[in-house]
Amino acid sequence: MRKLISFLLVFLIVANFLYCFSGVFFYPMQSMDTIGIWLLKAKAFYLEGFFPKTMLFSERYSFSHQQYPLLLPLLFSFIYKIVGSINEKAVLVVYPFLYLSIVFLAFKTLEKRAGAFCALIFSFGYAVFSPLLGQGGRVHAGNADILLTLLYWVGLYLIVSFKNKDKTLYFLALLAAIASQIKTEGVFMLALLFFVETGFKKKILPFVLGFLPFLAWQSTIIVSRIPNDFGFRLIPFYQLPGSILTVSFFLIKEFLNFKNWYIFWPLFGLVVFFGPEMQRQTKDEVLKPLILISFFYFLTYVFSSISPETYVSSSIDRVLLQISPLFYFVFFDKAYKLLK
């Protein structure tokens, strides 16, 4: 029976991959972020060369969030150079393979804790989340968030499988450095490094190394006067409760968005609060950084210069996708014991 179920789950995961792959060809260039940010900047790199000055400093392109890091568009431009022209589908076709890589990494990470059969069941459960399928090829291919999702899964795999904690610190620093050059909030990934169970002094150097690329890009924005169309603001104390309530409202609304997450979030709440005891490593090295990263995102929403109504509602599904490896692993750590 297990072999039959395993075969069926693998078949369904492959079907999801083909579903994503078909989206690249039948529903390309649907996401405004893909069109107006990532691929637009990739074209600027391809046409202007090493540094796309015209696009970064012109008011005409203020909609493209010029202050965003440039690593992803730079990588896209390399694909254009390889194929010899601006070809969006040559970029977008990578995304179904990112989806498949994420599902495979999820399986390998979960397998370390519970064995292949149980890991396959939960990997399939993760593979059907709509935001992941969307960025894997269905309408939202070309966005950056799925890259952060992949990096978080790599980080989780290292934490779960590597016994040499000192080496793990430097790998996590490298992941955070890369993540911060894909999207600014990628720097939050340094929280994984901070909670690795090893001495505090050993964390200082890798933390600094992981933080330096973020600092370098932020300095470049200031020194070069790259336009910054949104940032942070100090709000009067009397407005703070209202902002917190607004952010919380849209967060809960997304938790109840069954189109994106099905019944996962109610299950998550039940399992986390009433399920079996969580393993110590999960509690210390996964749950704690998840709480800290979530807090950083919450503060970002509360103090953003963009109104919470606009900002949270338009991005919370993508934020949850980014950190989904962490909350899904916490869920898995407690839920798989119920299947034994």
Side-chain angles (χ1 to χ4, degrees), residues 194-235:
F194 187 78
F195 287 100
V196 170
E197 292 184 335
T198 187
F200 176 77
K201 291 183 179 179
K202 294 180 179 180
K203 299 175 184 177
I204 296 174
L205 179 58
F207 184 91
V208 170
L209 293 174
F211 188 73
L212 278 176
F214 168 82
L215 185 62
W217 176 245
Q218 296 307 309
S219 300
T220 301
I221 292 173
I222 296 170
V223 173
S224 302
R225 298 184 180 180
I226 295 173
N228 198 333
D229 62 328
F230 69 91
F232 295 102
R233 63 189 175 99
L234 292 176
I235 60 176

Side-chain angles (χ1 to χ4, degrees), residues 63 122 151 165 181 189 203 254 263 289 292 329 339:
F63 62 86
F122 280 90
L151 292 176
K165 297 295 184 179
Q181 299 310 296
M189 196 175 292
K203 299 175 184 177
E254 183 62 23
I263 61 168
L292 182 59
F329 190 85
L339 298 181

Side-chain angles (χ1 to χ4, degrees), residues 24-170:
V24 169
F25 292 95
F26 293 109
Y27 304 101
M29 304 294 286
Q30 297 290 309
S31 167
M32 289 307 299
D33 282 359
T34 301
I35 298 168
I37 301 175
W38 310 111
L39 289 181
L40 178 65
K41 291 178 180 177
K43 293 171 185 175
F45 268 114
Y46 181 77
L47 296 172
E48 292 191 57
F50 180 71
F51 195 72
K53 293 184 291 185
T54 301
M55 206 218 72
L56 287 181
F57 296 101
S58 172
E59 292 184 3
R60 181 183 300 176
Y61 299 104
S62 60
F63 62 86
S64 68
H65 300 320
Q66 290 150 306
Q67 78 276 16
Y68 275 16
L70 298 174
L71 179 59
L72 187 57
L74 177 63
L75 294 176
F76 286 170
S77 72
F78 291 157
I79 296 177
Y80 291 158
K81 290 178 181 178
I82 290 171
V83 300
S85 64
I86 293 174
N87 186 329
E88 286 87 0
K89 285 187 179 179
V91 171
L92 300 184
V93 77
V94 173
Y95 277 76
F97 294 97
L98 289 176
Y99 166 84
L100 198 61
S101 299
I102 285 170
V103 177
F104 177 75
L105 262 173
F107 169 76
K108 296 302 291 183
T109 305
L110 303 183
E111 185 185 27
K112 291 288 183 180
R113 185 61 59 87
F117 180 69
C118 205
L120 186 58
I121 292 174
F122 280 90
S123 297
F124 172 73
Y126 182 78
V128 298
F129 284 153
S130 293
L132 180 60
L133 289 167
Q135 293 210 19
R138 302 301 295 192
V139 179
H140 293 287
N143 282 351
D145 308 279
I146 194 172
L147 272 297
L148 296 188
T149 307
L150 178 65
L151 292 176
Y152 270 110
W153 273 116
V154 173
L156 262 181
Y157 179 80
L158 295 176
I159 289 170
V160 171
S161 62
F162 272 35
K163 294 183 179 180
N164 189 325
K165 297 295 184 179
D166 294 347
K167 287 185 177 179
T168 303
L169 292 174
Y170 286 94

